[in-house]
C-alpha cells in the first residue's frame, strides 16, 4: 500500500478514536454550519473528515479507501491521490455548506466525501473493469448518485447520511479524472454520461426549481 494512504488511514483512525472518547474535541472539530459561517471556523471543513460517529462508520470508510486507493495511485500517482482525496473532502463540505446555509444546526462528520471522490475517480477510469458490490462500476455509480439525489430531495427523519458531501466528493473525483485523462474519459463517455444524469437533475432542482437551500 502507498505509504501516504497508510498514513491517512492511520491518522484518521487515531483522531476518530480520540474524538469518540472526548466530546469536547468531537464538538470542536465536526462540520457545523453555524460555527463555519458565524465564527469562521474553517478548519472544520477539513477536520470533520478525521472524525467518525463509531467504529463501524470508521471501518467502512477506511475499508473502501483501502480497496480503491490502488487504482487511483496507478492512474494518478501519489500527488494525484492527495489532490483527489482532499479536493473531494473540501468540495463535499463546501457543497454541504451551500446547501444547508440556512440551517445553522446542520452538522456532519466522516471521510465519506473524500472516499467517494476516490471511488468515483476509479470508476471514471475503468467503469466496466472496476466492480463495486458485484456490480459494474458505472451501474453502481448511477445507483449511488440516484439514491443520494433522491434522499437529498426527499429527506427522511431516520436518514443520517451526509448525501451532499458524498455527491460533492464524487463529483470532484469524476471531474478531476476527466481533466487529467480526457482521452480515456472520452472512451468511457457513455458510462460517464449515464452516471451523471442524477447530478444534472439535482442541479436543475437546486438552481432552477430552488427546491433545496
Amino acid at each position: 500500500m502507498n505509504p501516504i494512504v497508510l498514513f491517512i488511514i492511520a491518522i484518521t483512525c487515531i483522531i476518530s478514536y480520540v474524538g469518540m472518547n472526548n466530546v469536547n474535541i468531537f464538538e470542536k472539530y465536526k462540520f457545523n454550519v453555524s460555527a463555519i459561517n458565524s465564527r469562521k471556523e474553517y478548519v472544520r471543513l477539513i477536520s470533520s473528515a478525521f472524525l467518525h460517529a463509531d467504529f463501524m462508520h470508521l471501518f467502512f470508510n477506511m475499508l473502501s479507501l483501502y480497496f480503491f486507493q490502488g487504482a487511483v495511485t496507478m492512474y494518478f500517482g501519489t500527488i494525484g491521490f492527495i489532490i483527489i482525496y482532499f479536493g473531494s473532502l473540501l468540495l463535499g463540505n463546501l457543497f454541504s455548506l451551500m446547501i444547508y446555509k440556512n440551517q445553522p444546526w446542520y452538522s456532519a462528520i466522516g471521510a465519506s466525501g473524500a472516499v467517494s471522490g476516490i471511488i468515483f475517480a476509479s470508476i471514471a477510469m475503468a467503469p466496466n473493469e472496476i466492480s463495486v458490490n458485484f456490480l459494474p462500476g458505472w451501474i453502481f455509480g448511477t445507483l449511488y448518485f440516484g439514491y443520494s439525489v433522491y434522499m437529498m430531495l426527499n429527506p427522511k427523519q431516520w436518514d443520517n447520511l451526509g448525501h451532499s458531501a458524498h455527491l460533492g466528493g464524487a463529483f470532484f473525483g469524476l471531474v478531476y479524472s476527466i481533466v487529467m485523462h480526457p482521452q480515456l474519459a472520452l472512451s468511457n463517455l457513455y458510462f460517464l454520461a449515464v452516471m451523471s444524469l442524477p447530478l444534472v437533475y439535482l442541479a436543475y432542482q437546486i438552481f432552477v426549481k430552488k427546491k433545496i437551500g
Side-chain angles (χ1 to χ4, degrees), residues 76 79-80 83-84 171-181:
F76 305 101
I79 298 300
I83 291 172
I84 293 171
F171 179 77
F172 184 92
L174 278 176
V175 171
Y176 184 86
S177 300
I178 293 169
V179 170
M180 296 305 295
H181 293 287

Side-chain angles (χ1 to χ4, degrees), residues 72 75-76 84 116-126 170 173-174 177:
V72 170
Y75 282 107
F76 305 101
I84 293 171
S116 293
I118 295 297
I119 292 174
F120 280 88
S122 303
I123 292 174
M125 294 294 93
L174 278 176
S177 300

Side-chain angles (χ1 to χ4, degrees), residues 9-160:
I9 291 176
I11 199 69
T12 301
C13 289
I14 292 169
I15 296 175
S16 292
Y17 178 77
V18 172
M20 289 178 207
N21 291 279
N22 189 321
V23 68
N24 292 326
I25 289 177
F26 189 88
E27 291 297 323
K28 183 176 181 179
Y29 292 108
K30 71 180 182 180
F31 177 94
N32 175 263
V33 171
S34 177
I36 296 169
N37 283 337
S38 301
R39 301 199 296 273
K40 314 301 180 187
E41 295 178 1
Y42 299 119
V43 67
R44 292 172 182 262
L45 294 171
I46 300 295
S47 62
S48 58
F50 294 92
L51 297 170
H52 286 79
D54 51 46
F55 285 111
M56 290 303 293
H57 185 204
L58 174 65
F59 174 76
F60 282 114
N61 267 343
M62 295 302 99
L63 184 66
S64 299
L65 179 59
Y66 170 77
F67 280 138
F68 288 94
Q69 54 85 25
V72 170
T73 53
M74 180 178 70
Y75 282 107
F76 305 101
T78 299
I79 298 300
F81 172 88
I82 293 171
I83 291 172
I84 293 171
Y85 190 84
F86 287 97
S88 299
L89 186 167
L90 188 57
L91 184 62
N93 279 338
L94 287 173
F95 184 50
S96 295
L97 193 63
M98 182 193 79
I99 292 296
Y100 300 109
K101 63 182 182 295
N102 296 323
Q103 299 178 31
W105 60 86
Y106 182 84
S107 299
I109 38 106
S112 299
V115 174
S116 293
I118 295 297
I119 292 174
F120 280 88
S122 303
I123 292 174
M125 294 294 93
N128 260 330
E129 289 76 15
I130 289 178
S131 62
V132 186
N133 295 333
F134 306 105
L135 292 173
W138 70 276
I139 294 179
F140 171 82
T142 304
L143 295 174
Y144 180 95
F145 280 148
Y147 175 75
S148 294
V149 168
Y150 174 81
M151 293 304 292
M152 281 190 66
L153 296 173
N154 302 275
K156 310 297 182 184
Q157 189 173 7
W158 49 263
D159 180 48
N160 62 354

